[in-house]
CSV table of all heavy atoms in Angstrom, one decimal:
chain,number,residue,atom,x,y,z
A,123,ASP,N,-28.2,-18.4,-18.5
A,123,ASP,CA,-28.1,-17.7,-17.2
A,123,ASP,C,-27.1,-18.4,-16.3
A,123,ASP,O,-26.8,-17.8,-15.2
A,123,ASP,CB,-29.4,-17.6,-16.5
A,123,ASP,CG,-30.4,-16.8,-17.3
A,123,ASP,OD1,-30.1,-15.7,-17.8
A,123,ASP,OD2,-31.6,-17.2,-17.4
A,124,THR,N,-26.6,-19.5,-16.7
A,124,THR,CA,-25.6,-20.2,-15.9
A,124,THR,C,-24.3,-19.4,-15.7
A,124,THR,O,-23.7,-19.0,-16.7
A,124,THR,CB,-25.2,-21.6,-16.5
A,124,THR,OG1,-26.4,-22.4,-16.6
A,124,THR,CG2,-24.1,-22.3,-15.8
A,125,ASP,N,-24.0,-19.1,-14.4
A,125,ASP,CA,-22.9,-18.3,-14.1
A,125,ASP,C,-22.6,-18.3,-12.7
A,125,ASP,O,-23.4,-18.8,-11.9
A,125,ASP,CB,-23.2,-16.8,-14.6
A,125,ASP,CG,-22.5,-16.4,-15.8
A,125,ASP,OD1,-21.3,-16.8,-16.0
A,125,ASP,OD2,-23.0,-15.6,-16.6
A,126,VAL,N,-21.5,-17.6,-12.2
A,126,VAL,CA,-21.3,-17.3,-10.8
A,126,VAL,C,-21.9,-15.9,-10.6
A,126,VAL,O,-21.5,-15.0,-11.3
A,126,VAL,CB,-19.8,-17.3,-10.4
A,126,VAL,CG1,-19.7,-16.9,-9.0
A,126,VAL,CG2,-19.3,-18.7,-10.6
A,127,TYR,N,-22.8,-15.8,-9.7
A,127,TYR,CA,-23.5,-14.5,-9.4
A,127,TYR,C,-22.9,-13.9,-8.1
A,127,TYR,O,-22.8,-14.6,-7.1
A,127,TYR,CB,-25.0,-14.7,-9.2
A,127,TYR,CG,-25.7,-15.0,-10.5
A,127,TYR,CD1,-25.5,-16.2,-11.2
A,127,TYR,CD2,-26.6,-14.0,-11.0
A,127,TYR,CE1,-26.1,-16.4,-12.4
A,127,TYR,CE2,-27.2,-14.2,-12.2
A,127,TYR,CZ,-27.0,-15.4,-12.9
A,127,TYR,OH,-27.6,-15.6,-14.1
A,128,CYS,N,-22.4,-12.6,-8.2
A,128,CYS,CA,-21.7,-12.0,-7.2
A,128,CYS,C,-22.5,-10.8,-6.7
A,128,CYS,O,-23.0,-10.0,-7.5
A,128,CYS,CB,-20.4,-11.5,-7.6
A,128,CYS,SG,-19.2,-12.8,-8.0
A,129,CYS,N,-22.7,-10.7,-5.4
A,129,CYS,CA,-23.3,-9.6,-4.8
A,129,CYS,C,-22.4,-8.4,-4.9
A,129,CYS,O,-21.2,-8.5,-4.7
A,129,CYS,CB,-23.7,-9.9,-3.3
A,129,CYS,SG,-24.5,-8.6,-2.5
A,130,TYR,N,-23.0,-7.2,-5.0
A,130,TYR,CA,-22.2,-5.9,-5.2
A,130,TYR,C,-22.8,-4.9,-4.3
A,130,TYR,O,-24.1,-4.8,-4.2
A,130,TYR,CB,-22.3,-5.5,-6.6
A,130,TYR,CG,-21.9,-4.1,-6.8
A,130,TYR,CD1,-20.6,-3.7,-6.8
A,130,TYR,CD2,-22.8,-3.1,-7.0
A,130,TYR,CE1,-20.2,-2.3,-6.9
A,130,TYR,CE2,-22.5,-1.7,-7.2
A,130,TYR,CZ,-21.2,-1.4,-7.2
A,130,TYR,OH,-20.8,-0.1,-7.3
A,131,VAL,N,-22.0,-4.1,-3.6
A,131,VAL,CA,-22.4,-3.0,-2.8
A,131,VAL,C,-21.6,-1.8,-3.1
A,131,VAL,O,-20.3,-1.9,-3.2
A,131,VAL,CB,-22.4,-3.3,-1.3
A,131,VAL,CG1,-22.4,-2.1,-0.5
A,131,VAL,CG2,-23.5,-4.2,-0.9
A,132,ARG,N,-22.2,-0.6,-3.3
A,132,ARG,CA,-21.5,0.6,-3.3
A,132,ARG,C,-21.8,1.3,-2.0
A,132,ARG,O,-23.0,1.7,-1.8
A,132,ARG,CB,-21.8,1.4,-4.5
A,132,ARG,CG,-21.0,2.7,-4.7
A,132,ARG,CD,-21.2,3.3,-6.0
A,132,ARG,NE,-20.5,4.5,-6.3
A,132,ARG,CZ,-19.2,4.6,-6.7
A,132,ARG,NH1,-18.6,3.4,-6.9
A,132,ARG,NH2,-18.6,5.7,-6.9
A,133,SER,N,-20.8,1.5,-1.2
A,133,SER,CA,-21.1,2.1,0.1
A,133,SER,C,-21.4,3.6,0.1
A,133,SER,O,-21.2,4.3,-0.9
A,133,SER,CB,-19.9,1.8,1.1
A,133,SER,OG,-18.8,2.7,0.7
A,134,ALA,N,-21.7,4.2,1.2
A,134,ALA,CA,-22.0,5.6,1.3
A,134,ALA,C,-20.7,6.4,1.1
A,134,ALA,O,-20.8,7.5,0.7
A,134,ALA,CB,-22.5,5.9,2.7
A,135,ARG,N,-19.5,5.8,1.2
A,135,ARG,CA,-18.3,6.4,1.0
A,135,ARG,C,-17.8,6.2,-0.4
A,135,ARG,O,-16.6,6.4,-0.7
A,135,ARG,CB,-17.2,5.9,2.0
A,135,ARG,CG,-17.6,6.3,3.4
A,135,ARG,CD,-16.4,6.0,4.4
A,135,ARG,NE,-16.7,6.5,5.8
A,135,ARG,CZ,-15.8,6.5,6.7
A,135,ARG,NH1,-14.6,6.0,6.5
A,135,ARG,NH2,-16.2,6.9,7.9
A,136,ALA,N,-18.7,5.6,-1.3
A,136,ALA,CA,-18.4,5.4,-2.7
A,136,ALA,C,-17.3,4.3,-2.9
A,136,ALA,O,-16.6,4.3,-3.9
A,136,ALA,CB,-18.0,6.7,-3.4
A,137,ASN,N,-17.2,3.3,-2.0
A,137,ASN,CA,-16.3,2.2,-2.1
A,137,ASN,C,-17.1,1.0,-2.7
A,137,ASN,O,-18.3,0.9,-2.3
A,137,ASN,CB,-15.6,1.8,-0.8
A,137,ASN,CG,-14.7,2.9,-0.3
A,137,ASN,OD1,-14.0,3.5,-1.1
A,137,ASN,ND2,-14.7,3.1,1.0
A,138,ASN,N,-16.5,0.2,-3.5
A,138,ASN,CA,-17.2,-0.9,-4.1
A,138,ASN,C,-16.8,-2.2,-3.4
A,138,ASN,O,-15.6,-2.4,-3.1
A,138,ASN,CB,-16.9,-1.0,-5.6
A,138,ASN,CG,-17.4,0.1,-6.4
A,138,ASN,OD1,-18.5,0.6,-6.1
A,138,ASN,ND2,-16.6,0.6,-7.3
A,139,TYR,N,-17.7,-3.1,-3.1
A,139,TYR,CA,-17.4,-4.3,-2.5
A,139,TYR,C,-18.1,-5.5,-3.3
A,139,TYR,O,-19.2,-5.3,-3.8
A,139,TYR,CB,-18.0,-4.3,-1.0
A,139,TYR,CG,-17.4,-3.3,-0.2
A,139,TYR,CD1,-17.9,-2.0,-0.1
A,139,TYR,CD2,-16.2,-3.6,0.6
A,139,TYR,CE1,-17.2,-1.0,0.7
A,139,TYR,CE2,-15.6,-2.6,1.4
A,139,TYR,CZ,-16.1,-1.3,1.4
A,139,TYR,OH,-15.5,-0.4,2.2
A,140,TRP,N,-17.5,-6.6,-3.2
A,140,TRP,CA,-18.0,-7.8,-4.0
A,140,TRP,C,-18.1,-9.0,-3.0
A,140,TRP,O,-17.2,-9.2,-2.2
A,140,TRP,CB,-17.1,-8.1,-5.2
A,140,TRP,CG,-16.9,-6.9,-6.1
A,140,TRP,CD1,-16.0,-6.0,-6.0
A,140,TRP,CD2,-17.7,-6.6,-7.2
A,140,TRP,NE1,-16.2,-5.0,-7.0
A,140,TRP,CE2,-17.2,-5.4,-7.7
A,140,TRP,CE3,-18.8,-7.3,-7.8
A,140,TRP,CZ2,-17.8,-4.9,-8.9
A,140,TRP,CZ3,-19.4,-6.7,-8.9
A,140,TRP,CH2,-18.9,-5.5,-9.4
A,141,GLY,N,-19.1,-9.8,-3.2
A,141,GLY,CA,-19.2,-11.0,-2.5
A,141,GLY,C,-18.3,-12.1,-3.2
A,141,GLY,O,-17.8,-11.9,-4.3
A,142,GLN,N,-18.3,-13.3,-2.5
A,142,GLN,CA,-17.5,-14.4,-3.1
A,142,GLN,C,-18.2,-15.0,-4.3
A,142,GLN,O,-17.5,-15.6,-5.1
A,142,GLN,CB,-17.3,-15.5,-2.0
A,142,GLN,CG,-16.4,-15.0,-0.8
A,142,GLN,CD,-15.0,-14.9,-1.3
A,142,GLN,OE1,-14.5,-15.7,-2.0
A,142,GLN,NE2,-14.4,-13.7,-0.8
A,143,GLY,N,-19.5,-14.9,-4.4
A,143,GLY,CA,-20.1,-15.5,-5.5
A,143,GLY,C,-20.9,-16.7,-5.1
A,143,GLY,O,-20.4,-17.5,-4.3
A,144,THR,N,-22.0,-17.0,-5.8
A,144,THR,CA,-22.7,-18.2,-5.7
A,144,THR,C,-23.1,-18.7,-7.1
A,144,THR,O,-23.4,-18.0,-8.0
A,144,THR,CB,-24.0,-18.0,-4.9
A,144,THR,OG1,-24.7,-19.2,-4.6
A,144,THR,CG2,-25.0,-16.9,-5.5
A,145,GLN,N,-22.9,-20.0,-7.2
A,145,GLN,CA,-23.1,-20.7,-8.5
A,145,GLN,C,-24.6,-20.9,-8.9
A,145,GLN,O,-25.3,-21.4,-8.0
A,145,GLN,CB,-22.3,-22.0,-8.6
A,145,GLN,CG,-22.5,-22.8,-9.9
A,145,GLN,CD,-21.8,-22.1,-11.1
A,145,GLN,OE1,-20.6,-21.7,-11.0
A,145,GLN,NE2,-22.4,-21.9,-12.2
A,146,VAL,N,-24.9,-20.5,-10.1
A,146,VAL,CA,-26.2,-20.8,-10.6
A,146,VAL,C,-26.1,-21.6,-11.8
A,146,VAL,O,-25.4,-21.2,-12.8
A,146,VAL,CB,-27.1,-19.5,-10.9
A,146,VAL,CG1,-28.3,-19.8,-11.6
A,146,VAL,CG2,-27.3,-18.7,-9.6
A,147,THR,N,-26.7,-22.8,-11.9
A,147,THR,CA,-26.6,-23.6,-13.0
A,147,THR,C,-28.0,-24.0,-13.5
A,147,THR,O,-28.8,-24.5,-12.7
A,147,THR,CB,-25.8,-24.9,-12.7
A,147,THR,OG1,-24.5,-24.6,-12.2
A,147,THR,CG2,-25.7,-25.8,-13.9
A,148,VAL,N,-28.2,-23.7,-14.8
A,148,VAL,CA,-29.5,-24.0,-15.4
A,148,VAL,C,-29.4,-25.0,-16.4
A,148,VAL,O,-28.6,-24.9,-17.4
A,148,VAL,CB,-30.1,-22.7,-16.0
A,148,VAL,CG1,-31.5,-23.0,-16.5
A,148,VAL,CG2,-30.1,-21.6,-15.0
C-alpha cells in the first residue's frame, strides 16, 4: 500500500481536480 495518495474531486461542472498528494509508507 506504500504510495503517494492523491485526493480527487469531480466538480458539478464535470471538471477533475487533484491534490498534491500525501505519502503513505508501510
Side-chain angles (χ1 to χ4, degrees):
D123 294 318
T124 295
D125 254 324
V126 175
Y127 285 69
C128 295
C129 181
Y130 163 77
V131 161
R132 184 169 182 84
S133 73
R135 296 188 176 187
N137 294 319
N138 296 320
Y139 298 89
W140 302 90
Q142 292 292 317
T144 184
Q145 177 70 45
V146 171
T147 302
V148 185

